[in-house]
Every structure is written in C-alpha cells, then in structure tokens.
Amino acid sequence: MAPAPSSTTSAITLNINGEKHHLSVDHRTTLLDALRERLDLTGTKKGCDQGQCGACTVLLGGRRAVACLTLAVAAEGREVTTIEGVADGDDLHPVQQAFLELDGYQCGYCTPGQICSAIAVIEEHAAGWPSAATDDVRPEATPPPLTPDEIRERMSGNLCRCGAYVSIVQAVSRGAQAHAQSRTAAAEEAAA
C-alpha cells in the first residue's frame, strides 16, 4: 500500500498591517497573491512576478521583501506592512507626503513598492548599514550622508517605467530628513 500523499495546504495566520488574517493556502502561494487575491489588499502591485522590478515590495519584519518571491507560509508569525498600513490613520507617512509633494510618481503603478522600499532604505541608512555606493564600510565608520548617489544605489531594486527617478530621489531625501527630525524630537522629548 502506498503512503498517503502529504497535504499541499497549510492553515496560516498572517499579521498584516497590525491585523491578523487566518487563511488556508497552498504551500506555493506567494505573499503577493495572498495579499491581492485572498485579502483584497491590492495596493501591492504585481509587476514582473520575477523579483526584478520591486513593484511588489512590502516590509516583512521591517525589512524590504519582494512579495512575488516570498511564500505566504514563510510570512507566518512576522509583521507584514503593505502600503495600506504605512500611514497613521489619515496622516500620511513622511515618505508618502514627500512623494505627493515632489511628484515622485507618474502613473503610480510602482509607487507603493517605491514607498515601502524608501521607508526601509531610510531605516537601513539610519542604522548605519552601508550600500555598494558607500565609500567607507568599516564598522566604526559613521553612516555616510544620504546623498543622491546613495539613494539611487539603495533604491536600485525598484524600477519606474515612467522614469520619475529624479523626483523619487528627492522624495526619499525629504522623507529621510523628516525621519531624522522626528528621531531628534523623540530623543529630546525622552531626555526632558
């Protein structure tokens, strides 16, 4: 007698934008498909479906992840933040506000992935993580300034078919400045 075939589905709980979602998914279901097709969170876009364009970028445990190459079962137990969860109620995230003010989008298709990636880029830079454009990568070196070259290198995994790169770089820079100001204000408030 042949052994019984193993199940190809799992019951999982995804923590998305602070809300728990219980799903039964095929083991091969990508996080992108679970978000868009099962949970109706369509802000995350399907671009190339090969991990090359960045349109599906989400934050997984605070780090960038291309949802088209991430299995939904691998996201269980980790915080997933999509573009729908970036704002604080009606208050836009500083990066969202910067994209809006500086026209960091044209058709808007890549914008959710660009914004999620930019938020992670700013956090990575603030934590002192080097990039391929960083001159001094020694651990004791201070983080380099977030120059346009640094931003372009760090955002290079996100493509914009419309070519809004100049405005995207400016928006990331402005978002980083707002992030630095809020960190300074929080530190001063904690010290008082």
Side-chain angles (χ1 to χ4, degrees), residues 1-179:
M1 181 193 262
S6 63
S7 174
T8 60
T9 62
S10 289
I12 63 172
T13 301
L14 296 177
N15 186 4
I16 301 167
N17 302 325
E19 187 177 323
K20 295 201 181 302
H21 299 272
H22 306 285
L23 300 170
S24 177
V25 296
D26 183 289
H27 294 154
R28 299 165 293 181
T29 302
T30 64
L31 179 57
L32 176 61
D33 288 338
L35 291 170
R36 290 183 60 79
E37 297 174 17
R38 300 289 304 281
L39 299 173
D40 202 31
L41 293 170
T42 58
T44 304
K45 303 300 186 216
K46 184 177 277 200
C48 67
D49 218 14
Q50 297 176 7
Q52 295 180 5
C53 73
C56 66
T57 303
V58 296
L59 301 175
L60 185 58
R63 301 209 37 205
R64 295 181 270 182
V66 285
C68 71
L69 296 183
T70 304
L71 295 176
V73 294
E76 185 171 29
R78 300 171 72 189
E79 177 63 34
V80 178
T81 305
T82 67
I83 192 66
E84 292 92 347
V86 169
D88 184 13
D90 289 337
D91 295 328
L92 294 178
H93 186 282
V95 173
Q96 288 176 302
Q97 189 64 44
F99 266 74
L100 184 63
E101 291 170 358
L102 296 167
D103 292 328
Y105 56 88
Q106 284 185 16
C107 78
Y109 195 82
C110 72
T111 306
Q114 297 274 3
I115 289 172
C116 286
S117 189
I119 291 168
V121 159
I122 292 166
E123 290 293 333
E124 291 164 8
H125 179 263
W129 295 9
S131 78
T134 304
D135 288 331
D136 188 352
V137 296
R138 292 176 297 149
E140 64 273 7
T142 58
L146 197 55
T147 63
D149 284 342
E150 277 283 337
I151 292 170
R152 280 191 283 279
E153 172 59 33
R154 292 171 186 264
M155 292 289 294
S156 65
N158 291 80
L159 303 179
C160 174
R161 290 173 179 92
C162 299
Y165 294 113
V166 171
S167 297
I168 290 168
V169 169
Q170 291 171 348
V172 174
S173 180
R174 184 176 289 180
Q177 291 168 358
H179 181 265

